[in-house]
Amino acid sequence: MIRLPVNRHRIWQLVFDAVLIVAAWRLTFFLRFDQSTPVYYRHLLDWQVVAFVVAIKLTIFVLFGFYNRWWRYVSTHDMWGAARGVTVACALTYLILYAFPPSHTSRLPRL
């Protein structure tokens, strides 16, 4: 029998994290461009790109064991692990989207 890294009781955490990732992705463009995203960056808000970003980040979170812990009993060591996981997920997402942009017109905005 194959054992999944996320049990059925933790699925709601995975779904909630996916919603937060989507909200954060959209909020970054909203804040970066003062509420009006330029046309050549709008393809980065398409559902395919957002789904790809969510898939990358959730995969990294699962690999770092975010859904195997009892967050009620979290320690400083666990928080450093969470910080490393989030940093790796963000860096990997940026590197993949920078190296293989979803459209040939533009890359991720930097500043």
Side-chain angles (χ1 to χ4, degrees):
M1 186 167 151
I2 297 174
R3 184 167 177 175
L4 297 174
V6 178
N7 64 22
R8 63 184 174 89
H9 300 290
R10 303 284 180 155
I11 293 293
W12 66 271
Q13 290 175 338
L14 197 83
V15 170
F16 187 70
D17 282 348
V19 169
L20 288 177
I21 291 168
V22 170
W25 185 257
R26 296 194 58 87
L27 186 63
T28 56
F29 286 93
F30 182 79
L31 294 175
R32 166 64 178 91
F33 296 114
D34 294 328
Q35 304 173 6
S36 61
T37 305
V39 175
Y40 46 89
Y41 285 124
R42 287 198 185 133
H43 69 278
L44 294 170
L45 295 173
D46 290 343
W47 70 269
Q48 296 97 342
V49 176
V50 174
F52 184 68
V53 169
V54 169
I56 291 171
K57 290 191 178 209
L58 288 181
T59 301
I60 297 297
F61 291 171
V62 168
L63 291 176
F64 271 74
F66 281 21
Y67 306 106
N68 298 336
R69 294 186 176 94
W70 286 90
W71 288 103
R72 182 182 315 168
Y73 306 110
V74 71
S75 67
T76 306
H77 178 69
D78 294 327
M79 294 313 304
W80 281 112
R84 281 192 300 272
V86 170
T87 302
V88 167
C90 290
L92 188 64
T93 301
Y94 176 78
L95 290 174
I96 289 173
L97 288 178
Y98 186 79
F100 307 104
S103 177
H104 64 283
T105 58
S106 66
R107 298 191 187 270
L108 286 175
R110 284 180 269 176
L111 291 174

